[in-house]
Amino acid sequence: MKYGVLISLTGGEYRQEDIRIGLLLFSFIPAHLFIGYLIELLAATRARDALRESRKAGKAGQDPKLRPMWTIIAAAHTVNATASLGIASYLVYNKIFHPLIGTMCEIHVVIVWLKQLSYAFTNRDLRDAYLSSAPVPDIYRTCLYPSNITIPNLIYFWWAPTLVYQPVYPRTPTFRPSFFFKRLTETILLSIAIWFLSQQYAVPTLRNSLDAVSALNLPIILQRLMKLSTISLVIWLIGFFALFHSFLNALSELLRFGDRDFYGPWWNSASLGTYWKLWNKPVYNFMRRHVYAPMQARGFSPAVSSMMVFTFSAVLHEVLVGIPTHSVTGVAFAGMMFQIPLIWCTMPLERMRGSGSVLGNVVFWVSFCLVGQPVAALLYYFSWQVKYGGVRA
């Protein structure tokens, strides 16, 4: 009633070059996964030959002469993964103007990059176990290393709704068409709802906040943040359900992927730490498997290991937000790092029963609704307008 219908079916300012470069990135980024496969194929061939030679010689354990080879393999994976993230991020930052197209490309790039890392790390561990005749999990016995280094195995991992590589995953017995199409329909309808709410309510609120931010009018800024918190929360909740429940379940059903534990009851979190463990299980599992657990194995304390996890996650948040918006300002990084003192403050509340845990849940929701998303959205939108919209800082 206040603004009229603001929805435009033209799609906004989409440059043909943005779409063309975006499609090229979506097409070629998975090629780095294939390069990782070729690197592992070379390593598997060398490991198979080395094991055969050691058995003939009656030796046990790994041959120290293989260490330079494994160093070369690790270096090749490092160069491949760095090129994957670096080249794509450069193109998104310098060649793709529209932030939505850039964000979709950058999310895809980061997902493939994390999968590359997990593929390399897990196969390194499997290779060490293979050469040392060490035991492996029972589920892996149906596809023991190096028989897992195949193109079909890689393609399944590429599409699987997980960031942690395994040679074998639990599978459902059948594909359920009704379940798949229900989840797919939810994904489409909820995506349309996000687009409508963003154009009709979020963008006008952000646009009307620019003058207050330019003048540092704190009372008006606070009023705008409270108004923005409502619509940003609604959009975030819809997006969460669309991605983690509808889309990932649809993809899992299509692949008959058995592990559907994509999120926990994060809305009941009595501390920020519990929230970060529950709301995004694929990323949490990656961090625990490839960052936290290795640091613990090397003797680092749980506090230092957790700090490293949050630092790594903070860098990824800045990459995912700052590069598509062409505003690498450190706001997303600082927002993630600010979670650490909040976690320390709310952990004692979580251990308390009754009012303590309720208070922790209140602190979580206040920081989640008012301090987090609205502030970040407002600052990045203002930075975008200063850079491209003619607004003066």
Side-chain angles (χ1 to χ4, degrees):
M1 293 176 65
K2 185 175 182 179
Y3 301 112
V5 178
L6 302 178
I7 302 301
S8 173
L9 297 179
T10 60
E13 300 177 358
Y14 292 95
R15 301 188 309 174
Q16 291 297 320
E17 183 182 3
D18 291 349
I19 298 176
R20 182 169 61 252
I21 295 176
L23 291 175
L24 285 174
L25 281 176
F26 265 88
S27 301
F28 285 104
I29 280 299
H32 288 275
L33 268 176
F34 179 72
I35 295 173
Y37 157 76
L38 294 178
I39 296 171
E40 279 304 319
L41 185 63
L42 174 62
T45 302
R46 185 67 189 93
R48 189 183 290 110
D49 294 341
L51 185 63
R52 188 182 302 115
E53 292 171 4
S54 65
R55 286 175 176 173
K56 287 182 179 179
K59 297 179 180 179
Q62 289 199 45
D63 188 347
K65 296 180 180 179
L66 292 173
R67 290 176 183 174
M69 179 64 181
W70 305 148
T71 302
I72 294 173
I73 294 297
H77 276 302
T78 301
V79 171
N80 181 44
T82 303
S84 170
L85 184 63
I87 294 173
S89 297
Y90 172 83
L91 291 174
V92 171
Y93 189 85
N94 293 283
K95 301 298 182 180
I96 298 180
F97 174 78
H98 199 281
L100 177 59
I101 298 176
T103 298
M104 294 174 63
C105 291
E106 197 65 24
I107 290 174
H108 181 225
V109 168
V110 170
I111 289 174
V112 172
W113 181 66
L114 293 176
K115 283 177 178 278
Q116 286 178 255
L117 297 181
S118 185
Y119 189 74
F121 290 149
T122 304
N123 277 306
R124 177 202 61 192
D125 296 339
L126 292 174
R127 184 168 60 249
D128 290 343
Y130 172 72
L131 291 172
S132 304
S133 300
V136 297
D138 291 339
I139 191 174
Y140 293 180
R141 296 189 181 280
T142 58
C143 188
L144 290 173
Y145 184 91
S147 60
N148 65 302
I149 309 298
T150 63
I151 291 294
N153 186 277
L154 177 74
I155 292 176
Y156 187 87
F157 173 57
W158 171 28
W159 284 99
T162 179
L163 299 175
V164 176
Y165 173 72
Q166 292 183 188
V168 182
Y169 294 98
R171 303 289 294 274
T172 57
T174 58
F175 169 71
R176 298 170 294 175
S178 60
F179 181 88
F180 169 74
F181 285 110
K182 182 179 180 179
R183 299 284 87 83
L184 182 63
T185 302
E186 289 174 355
T187 304
I188 295 172
L189 294 179
L190 292 173
S191 299
I192 294 173
I194 292 172
W195 167 70
F196 173 83
L197 293 171
S198 300
Q199 294 294 316
Q200 186 67 34
Y201 298 104
V203 172
T205 303
L206 289 167
R207 189 181 296 119
N208 293 337
S209 305
L210 294 176
D211 292 339
V213 177
S214 298
L216 290 179
N217 190 331
L218 295 182
I220 300 300
I221 292 175
L222 181 59
Q223 185 266 344
R224 293 295 177 184
L225 284 175
M226 288 190 291
K227 186 176 182 179
L228 184 62
S229 66
T230 303
I231 188 61
S232 67
L233 177 62
V234 172
I235 291 174
W236 192 93
L237 290 175
I238 294 175
F240 170 83
F241 190 91
L243 174 60
F244 287 95
H245 185 77
S246 301
F247 176 73
L248 291 184
N249 270 293
L251 184 60
S252 297
E253 193 65 30
L254 189 64
L255 298 174
R256 291 175 47 214
F257 188 79
D259 186 3
R260 309 291 175 92
D261 186 25
F262 303 124
Y263 61 92
W266 56 264
W267 45 88
N268 294 328
S269 300
S271 72
L272 271 297
T274 300
Y275 164 74
W276 287 111
K277 293 177 183 178
L278 296 178
W279 92 273
N280 188 340
K281 289 286 190 72
V283 171
Y284 171 75
N285 291 335
F286 177 92
M287 295 294 183
R288 187 170 184 84
R289 172 78 173 270
H290 297 303
V291 181
Y292 186 86
M295 291 192 67
Q296 290 273 275
R298 286 166 174 79
F300 290 93
S301 66
V304 173
S305 302
S306 298
M307 182 76 71
M308 182 56 66
V309 167
F310 268 92
T311 303
F312 184 49
S313 181
V315 172
L316 288 183
H317 275 75
E318 187 64 36
V319 167
L320 289 169
V321 179
I323 289 179
T325 58
H326 311 279
S327 302
V328 185
T329 59
V331 172
F333 177 86
M336 277 298 299
M337 297 306 291
F338 183 66
Q339 301 291 315
I340 296 175
L342 285 177
I343 291 174
W344 290 342
C345 292
T346 54
M347 281 179 61
L349 297 175
E350 188 176 29
R351 298 190 187 103
M352 298 169 60
R353 294 183 178 180
S355 59
S357 59
V358 172
L359 181 59
N361 188 247
V362 170
V363 172
F364 155 69
W365 275 107
V366 170
S367 63
F368 180 78
C369 296
L370 186 60
V371 181
Q373 300 174 54
V375 172
L378 184 59
L379 290 177
Y380 278 103
Y381 184 79
F382 179 75
S383 177
W384 172 271
Q385 291 298 324
V386 167
K387 195 170 185 178
Y388 298 108
V391 175
R392 294 185 178 182

